[in-house]
Amino acid sequence: MTDSLDRDPTRTESGTAAVMTADDRTRLILSGPIDLSMVGEFSEAVTECLERALPLDVDFRHVTFMDSSGVATLARLLTKDSPAQPVRMIKPPDMVQFLLDVTGLSDKVEILTTDPGFPSAN
């Protein structure tokens, strides 16, 4: 049995952040480990979501890890002046849900247990 402390240090797995857009909604898709190594990519995706200023879904279904840099970047979407409102979180894994709860961010979002689908772009 292997746990996260036994990871191969030569492994170069990194997370990804991608943005999907439609006329009335934006989706931020996160996958893999969301940590300091990909905070630049994540920050760019968050900026794009904020510029769209539409309701936002953050898809966590493929996230394997999140550290404090990921939480801090995510928090940018949830400030009271954020133009991306409302924000929904799609199926955050237990460790992400824990981080959202501990930081109080879960009080600012709707947590979805199923994917609501995404509108077709026109």
Side-chain angles (χ1 to χ4, degrees):
M1 186 160 109
T2 303
D3 65 25
S4 61
L5 297 175
D6 295 328
R7 287 187 194 179
D8 179 355
T10 62
R11 190 173 177 182
T12 59
E13 176 185 359
S14 65
T16 61
V19 177
M20 291 174 54
T21 59
D23 292 338
D24 61 349
R25 180 161 294 282
T26 303
R27 181 175 284 200
L28 173 57
I29 304 165
L30 302 172
S31 65
I34 308 302
D35 59 18
L36 189 58
S37 70
M38 59 88 57
V39 76
E41 178 181 347
F42 189 13
S43 288
E44 287 177 23
V46 164
T47 298
E48 183 178 342
C49 292
L50 292 171
E51 288 171 352
R52 297 262 312 151
L54 293 171
L56 174 66
D57 293 338
V58 182
D59 186 344
F60 283 101
R61 292 178 293 163
H62 303 288
V63 170
T64 58
F65 173 80
M66 181 177 278
D67 70 7
S68 60
S69 64
V71 173
T73 304
L74 187 62
R76 286 182 44 209
L77 293 169
L78 304 175
T79 63
K80 70 176 185 171
D81 298 326
S82 172
Q85 294 295 329
V87 177
R88 304 185 300 187
M89 306 287 179
I90 302 169
K91 296 184 79 172
D94 290 342
M95 54 78 191
V96 172
Q97 182 67 54
F98 172 78
L99 293 171
L100 294 171
D101 291 342
V102 165
T103 59
L105 295 177
S106 61
D107 296 336
K108 300 178 180 192
V109 299
E110 179 182 358
I111 306 291
L112 304 177
T113 58
T114 59
D115 182 358
F118 192 73
S120 299
N122 291 334

